[in-house]
Amino acid sequence: MKIAFHGAASTVTGSKHLFTTAAGTTFLLDCGLFQGLGSETEPLNRHFGFDPSSVNFMILSHAHIDHSGLIPRLVKEGFRGQIFCTPATLDLCGLMLIDSAVIQENDVYYLNKRRSRKGKELLKPLYDKEDAIEALRRFTTVEYDKWLNVTDEIAFMFTDSGHVLGSAAVSLRIKEGGSTKHVFFSADIGRPGDQILRHPEPFPQADFILCESTYGDRIHEPIVNAEERLLKVVVETCIVQKGKLIIPAFSLDRTQEILYSLDKMEAAGKLPAIKVYVDSPLSTHTTQVVESHPECFNEDLREYMKHGDNRPFYFKNLKFISDVEESKSLNNLNEPCIIISASGMAEAGRIKHHIKNNIGDANNTILIVGYCTPSSLGGRLMAGAKEVKIFGEEYQVIARVETIDAYSAHADYKEMLEYLSCQDPQKVEKVFLVHGEYSPMSFYKQRLIESGFKNIHIPEMGEEVQI
């Protein structure tokens, strides 16, 4: 069989891996949107590198847009197969793909205004809401830990990867030439100490592994330290400096983790009496979906929910905002507060407006709590940029910028090695490192070699390999 790497190859976005068996069956693992790659982003999202109509079926690991966000365009360009995912992933995609379609339309609208002034050809959005709705009709749900025979030659099973609600790793059994190859796709690996979700689950022995490597060179700080630091930033910004705390946060998982931390602080009497706003329609609806899937929660959270009001993502002085005018009114709010808004990389959505309106005040703090590509607005702020461009205009970075990486939903390299410890390295023929920047991948490759794995390959974008 052949594997072609059409995304998340030496980058962390655009997850897209195309398999072609000896019998001619073609299937896709993930179909994600490229994000935060500057001028490269648009062409990468418009050209798959393969014919969507030739793909027989697709397996989706989870709902994050860098794994699911190009599915509507895949269907728009001719894909007619089934898309397999977990039930929670379907519920989340029902929100996130439609939200992504709205973003595509809005982004192209503003981009075309500039292109029109320069006399350039106008662009069309990658897809619209109707395309997203049509794509969702192709989804079929599969429970964890159950093998499904898709064809006579191909079967797969989801195991819980503990990354976000409904996230799954994929084990594949592929029959070729009288033998069966066992292929494993880790997708995004969660952390064993996640506040909300169950630990990542062991998986069957594999012959070939596609493994993520986002934090291949990093060790995260403990989550208990993160909560202490979060409280410290809240007090320093909102009580001492009487400023605003702006938190870019992914609508799925990161927003709920921050809310859960604040809820625990409030329950313990530690959270100051300040207003907390979640300013994102998607984050509002996603939080409702997360709350509706307690079967995905870990035992600690379930125990916590037995006390108090049983709602870990809702507390006093918290307000969810969907209305645009109400969102704009936060710019004129002259009192300390916390504003949590999407996107996590600060590349799109209302968070860009909040950063623009608060970046010039030394009393304010911008707190980064998740991974950001280096070229994204969040990445540039993390790197210490003194000046950043927002909506085409330059802004001086006067506000304080802080980072807490313990809230990351991605395992660090020691946690990834622990996750792979269920495997006998001598039985793994080859490991492909995906979903990471080249430097962390190279560091992680050496750690894998030290752990007994051999034949570790870092594929390039568009590379096709025979296994």
Side-chain angles (χ1 to χ4, degrees):
M1 82 188 82
K2 295 182 293 186
I3 310 174
F5 299 89
H6 290 286
S10 292
T11 184
V12 297
T13 65
S15 181
K16 214 177 285 93
H17 311 299
L18 187 69
F19 283 66
T20 305
T21 69
T25 301
T26 301
F27 66 93
L28 193 60
L29 295 180
D30 288 351
C31 189
L33 197 71
F34 288 95
Q35 298 169 301
L37 299 178
S39 60
E40 297 179 30
T41 307
E42 181 71 16
L44 283 170
N45 282 329
R46 290 194 177 274
H47 306 287
F48 285 104
F50 58 89
D51 178 7
S53 66
S54 69
V55 180
N56 299 107
F57 65 91
M58 183 192 147
I59 302 173
L60 175 61
S61 65
H62 65 286
H64 271 156
I65 289 299
D66 65 319
H67 292 257
S68 70
L70 273 183
I71 292 175
R73 187 168 180 85
L74 188 79
V75 173
K76 182 178 182 178
E77 294 196 1
F79 172 76
R80 294 295 178 266
Q82 287 180 288
I83 300 166
F84 299 102
C85 68
T86 65
T89 293
L90 173 56
D91 288 349
L92 290 166
C93 281
L95 299 172
M96 298 179 76
L97 294 183
I98 292 174
D99 180 79
S100 178
V102 173
I103 291 173
Q104 307 305 320
E105 293 177 274
N106 290 341
D107 284 354
V108 166
Y109 172 77
Y110 288 108
L111 185 61
N112 279 341
K113 288 176 72 173
R114 293 199 298 271
R115 293 178 70 89
S116 178
R117 287 196 298 266
K118 296 178 181 179
K120 292 184 177 181
E121 181 183 356
L122 300 185
L123 300 174
K124 293 182 179 180
L126 294 172
Y127 52 85
D128 56 28
K129 285 191 288 186
E130 287 69 28
D131 297 321
I133 292 168
E134 178 59 32
L136 288 164
R137 294 191 179 105
R138 305 209 153 268
F139 280 58
T140 298
T141 61
V142 180
E143 300 289 343
Y144 289 121
D145 304 314
K146 293 182 179 179
W147 285 97
L148 176 70
N149 295 308
V150 185
T151 70
D152 290 340
E153 59 176 338
I154 302 168
F156 80 89
M157 179 177 68
F158 285 138
T159 49
D160 193 342
S161 67
H163 172 61
V164 295
L165 191 83
S167 62
V170 184
S171 291
L172 291 152
R173 294 192 303 222
I174 303 174
K175 297 178 182 177
E176 284 192 329
S179 64
T180 300
K181 295 292 185 184
H182 296 83
V183 181
F184 177 74
F185 175 46
S186 75
D188 290 354
I189 303 167
R191 303 189 62 197
D194 190 276
Q195 292 194 98
I196 296 172
L197 304 173
R198 296 183 299 238
H199 290 193
E201 193 178 359
F203 56 93
Q205 181 66 46
D207 301 312
F208 300 92
I209 294 175
L210 281 69
C211 185
E212 78 125 314
S213 51
T214 309
Y215 286 123
D217 61 351
R218 190 177 304 183
I219 300 296
H220 295 314
E221 61 182 308
I223 189 65
V224 64
N225 293 356
E227 293 190 343
E228 291 172 358
R229 286 194 59 210
L230 175 61
L231 180 58
K232 184 172 183 286
V233 173
V234 169
V235 171
E236 288 177 351
T237 303
C238 300
I239 303 304
V240 178
Q241 298 175 188
K242 301 191 184 306
K244 293 180 181 178
L245 176 57
I246 310 299
I247 307 179
F250 295 108
S251 293
L252 173 58
D253 187 70
R254 202 59 36 79
T255 292
Q256 291 77 43
E257 280 210 279
I258 296 297
L259 292 178
Y260 181 31
S261 290
L262 294 173
D263 185 89
K264 287 188 286 185
M265 292 175 198
E266 202 267 344
K270 296 179 180 180
L271 186 65
I274 54 173
K275 293 177 181 177
V276 180
Y277 299 96
V278 175
D279 184 22
S280 164
L282 180 60
S283 297
T284 299
H285 296 136
T286 299
T287 301
Q288 293 168 351
V289 170
V290 171
E291 190 180 33
S292 72
H293 282 278
E295 75 279 3
C296 296
F297 297 167
N298 61 40
E299 287 302 319
D300 288 345
L301 177 54
R302 291 187 187 187
E303 184 64 28
Y304 180 81
M305 290 171 63
K306 293 178 182 178
H307 309 284
D309 63 2
N310 301 322
R311 303 188 74 190
F313 314 121
Y314 301 86
F315 50 88
K316 186 180 178 181
N317 290 327
L318 171 64
K319 184 173 185 179
F320 288 85
I321 294 177
S322 295
D323 181 72
V324 174
E325 293 306 315
E326 195 172 4
S327 173
K328 290 179 180 178
S329 71
L330 294 179
N331 298 326
N332 302 317
L333 189 66
N334 294 316
E335 62 181 69
C337 66
I338 301 172
I339 300 174
I340 305 167
S341 188
S343 71
M345 294 189 195
E347 276 296 283
R350 296 179 181 181
I351 189 62
K352 291 182 74 172
H353 294 275
H354 292 304
I355 291 176
K356 174 180 77 88
N357 288 304
N358 291 281
I359 199 169
D361 188 337
N363 292 321
N364 299 333
T365 301
I366 300 168
L367 177 61
I368 309 295
V369 292
Y371 180 84
C372 296
T373 58
S375 60
S376 66
L377 176 56
R380 282 176 279 142
L381 290 170
M382 286 177 67
K386 302 300 182 185
E387 190 174 85
V388 292
K389 185 175 287 188
I390 307 174
F391 298 123
E393 295 184 24
E394 295 288 346
Y395 290 85
Q396 296 294 316
V397 182
I398 307 300
R400 188 165 55 131
V401 177
E402 295 280 349
T403 301
I404 301 177
D405 77 351
Y407 284 107
S408 175
H410 288 269
D412 61 32
Y413 81 82
K414 284 190 176 180
E415 291 165 339
M416 288 191 288
L417 290 174
E418 179 185 343
Y419 180 61
L420 295 179
S421 66
C422 65
Q423 298 292 286
D424 180 348
Q426 299 305 310
K427 294 180 180 179
V428 178
E429 295 182 37
K430 198 163 191 174
V431 177
F432 298 95
L433 294 185
V434 296
H435 206 286
E437 303 291 341
Y438 188 79
S439 178
M441 282 180 166
S442 299
F443 185 93
Y444 185 47
K445 177 179 178 178
Q446 293 305 312
R447 304 292 83 74
L448 286 169
I449 291 170
E450 293 166 5
S451 297
F453 291 92
K454 57 186 184 297
N455 295 331
I456 299 161
H457 181 60
I458 300 175
E460 298 179 359
M461 189 76 73
E463 182 179 350
E464 185 176 86
V465 297
Q466 184 88 35
I467 65 171

